[in-house]
Amino acid sequence: MLDSVRIQRRQSEIRQALAELVGKDSPTEDETRQMETLDAEYRANEVKYRAALIAEDTERREAGAELETRSDREWSDLMCQFEMRQVALSLDEGRQLDGATSEIVTELRGVGGYRGIPVPWEALEIRAGETVADGTPDPIRTAPIIDRLFASSVAARMGGRMINVGVGEVEYPVSTSAVTAGWAATETGAVAAPAAYTTVDRPLAPNHNLGIQMRLTRKTLKQSGAGLEQAVRRDMSGAVEVALDRAVFLGSGSAGEPTGLFAGASAWGIEETAVDATATWAEIRSEVVGFITGNAATGPGDVRGLFRPEIWDGMDGTVWDAGSGITEWDRMAGRLGATVLSHNALAAPTGDPAESSAVLTTSAGGVAPFFVGTWGAIDLIRDPYSDAASGGLRLTALATMDVTVSRAVQTRILTGLQ
């Protein structure tokens, strides 16, 4: 109990005792001495009460700050206990969900409609003990859902931000204002005339559904045990990662796919440069200069580059300084903030000589260059008929996603890199 609360309770008891003694017409000597003692204690307690409030002020501030983040941490701790194995056995055998898994599924059902069993996006994270491209994730670190992408995905390493939406659509207003400052030409002259502050909306809409199908044989269900947990998670995570990376950059905007950066570049205003020459640091450096002059980056260290493995092969094989052995790739990698290689997120080289494309991005003012929207949780549904004859389990995972950019000046596309 806080000292201030304890003192308050004692003060209330003293007031009650004094009220009884003061109400007597002719108190005895003992009662008079008791009143003096209680009065002295009451005045001393007032000083102690003020001192206790001052001492406890810091504790109250710390407790308030802890309460503000407690819900996020508790939810994150609960997600670490979610078991995919329970979901698979529930769909296969009808086994009842229990523990944290049951609590999470109940919570997700309360905020959205699902035909099957909802699986939270956090359940697809690669858990501690599994080495990934960026190292081993720390399970103690708490991060909000909207800031998380799969650890090894190209979209994450290029600065993309995942936004989880409950229901409806989300729009991001981006300033397109041409407001400028102007000096007064004379002592009594007017300054620049007012200009309208304008914005453009970048919407995320739940129009694109991604499906993942998995088949679990009866032997797997009976023999795998707890190992099935990590196997299902890795399969789902890998499938989502591959499809997500390809959609973010190469999505056609048709046949159910979201519009990726290449297909939506002209509509979003992303600058596209046809290099049509051998890939060198000099060619890419000029695009970095464009970021800096457009106020999107303060230096080459703020820029990330996405390239095909063939570009690395060519640039790393081209020696810039024969004496030192420094290659064109060494020059570029030593200056850019990150260089990412992917054969999935970029189309294969074509033509003669073979030409490829590349993407440069930067996060300006803490704003990601593009957003990946997901709606609710993953809906995991069982197909009881397709593999019924063999006793197997067929699962379908449905996820709703979309892609949009923030400021177009934070992304540049290079084509014709030979």
Side-chain angles (χ1 to χ4, degrees):
M1 181 186 299
L2 293 175
D3 288 339
S4 60
V5 176
R6 180 179 54 79
I7 294 172
Q8 276 185 312
R9 290 185 177 181
R10 177 55 184 162
Q11 294 294 73
S12 178
E13 294 172 357
I14 293 174
R15 286 193 296 270
Q16 185 176 357
L18 285 173
E20 295 176 357
L21 295 173
V22 171
K24 294 184 177 182
D25 294 333
S26 54
T28 63
E29 292 182 3
D30 291 340
E31 291 172 340
T32 301
R33 283 194 298 269
Q34 187 178 359
M35 282 190 288
E36 293 175 354
T37 303
L38 291 173
D39 179 62
E41 183 183 355
Y42 189 88
R43 284 185 278 111
N45 284 347
E46 283 296 305
V47 178
K48 292 181 180 179
Y49 179 69
R50 289 194 295 271
L53 289 179
I54 294 172
E56 294 165 2
D57 181 64
T58 302
E59 297 179 16
R60 286 191 174 93
R61 292 177 185 272
E62 293 177 353
E66 193 271 341
L67 286 172
E68 290 178 358
T69 58
R70 178 180 294 175
S71 60
D72 290 339
R73 288 190 289 104
E74 288 179 347
W75 180 252
S76 178
D77 293 340
L78 191 64
M79 286 298 174
C80 291
Q81 305 173 44
F82 188 91
E83 297 181 355
M84 289 290 295
R85 182 171 180 268
Q86 283 197 44
V87 175
L89 293 177
S90 175
L91 292 171
D92 181 52
E93 304 173 358
R95 181 177 299 185
Q96 191 73 20
L97 299 177
D98 56 30
T101 304
S102 176
E103 185 176 346
I104 293 171
V105 170
T106 302
E107 183 78 15
L108 291 172
R109 287 192 186 280
V111 294
Y114 300 94
R115 290 182 55 197
I117 297 179
V119 176
W121 286 93
E122 294 91 329
L124 298 188
E125 288 182 318
I126 299 177
R127 301 296 171 85
E130 297 182 45
T131 302
V132 296
D134 290 342
T136 302
D138 183 357
I140 300 176
R141 183 179 67 86
T142 302
I145 297 174
I146 62 174
D147 288 336
R148 181 162 32 237
L149 279 175
F150 303 114
S152 60
S153 73
V154 173
R157 285 181 285 168
M158 289 300 290
R161 181 183 178 188
M162 176 174 277
I163 307 294
N164 188 262
V165 185
V167 293
E169 300 183 5
V170 176
E171 288 187 341
Y172 289 90
V174 179
S175 174
T176 57
S177 176
V179 177
T180 57
W183 297 96
T186 62
E187 181 179 355
T188 58
V191 296
Y197 187 84
T198 58
T199 61
V200 61
D201 289 333
R202 303 295 194 193
L204 285 169
N207 297 330
H208 310 284
N209 297 316
L210 174 66
I212 308 158
Q213 286 197 346
M214 295 170 289
R215 296 181 62 186
L216 304 177
T217 64
R218 184 171 179 82
K219 180 179 180 180
T220 300
L221 293 169
K222 300 303 180 185
Q223 289 186 346
S224 296
L228 183 63
E229 166 79 11
Q230 293 295 336
V232 172
R233 180 181 286 114
R234 285 194 299 269
D235 284 347
M236 291 184 65
S237 176
V240 170
E241 181 182 310
V242 170
L244 179 64
D245 283 342
R246 188 167 185 82
V248 167
F249 298 98
L250 298 177
S252 63
S254 60
E257 291 184 348
T259 301
L261 296 185
F262 282 90
S266 58
W268 286 326
I270 295 175
E271 185 165 341
E272 299 179 88
T273 302
V275 178
D276 295 334
T278 302
T280 62
W281 166 235
E283 296 289 348
I284 297 167
R285 183 178 57 205
S286 62
E287 297 303 314
V288 176
V289 172
F291 275 125
I292 299 173
T293 56
N295 296 322
T298 58
D302 294 339
V303 180
R304 304 177 184 88
L306 173 62
F307 305 93
R308 287 279 307 187
E310 293 85 354
I311 294 297
W312 167 80
D313 184 28
M315 293 183 67
D316 198 53
T318 304
V319 179
W320 173 71
D321 183 359
S324 63
I326 297 176
T327 65
E328 288 290 340
W329 181 265
D330 294 332
R331 297 178 66 201
M332 180 181 70
R335 290 168 174 79
L336 294 185
T339 51
V340 182
L341 298 178
S342 175
H343 68 284
N344 175 56
L346 296 175
T350 57
D352 186 17
E355 295 183 340
S356 178
S357 299
V359 179
L360 301 179
T361 65
T362 184
S363 298
V367 179
F370 56 88
F371 297 108
V372 180
T374 60
W375 275 259
I378 298 173
D379 196 357
L380 195 59
I381 305 171
R382 178 193 181 188
D383 180 356
Y385 305 108
S386 298
D387 295 322
S390 62
L393 172 62
R394 180 169 296 194
L395 302 176
T396 301
L398 299 177
T400 302
M401 301 179 180
D402 196 14
V403 179
T404 191
V405 301
S406 54
R407 290 183 286 245
V409 294
Q410 291 181 227
T411 304
R412 283 175 176 256
I413 293 177
L414 309 182
T415 60
L417 289 173
Q418 299 173 0

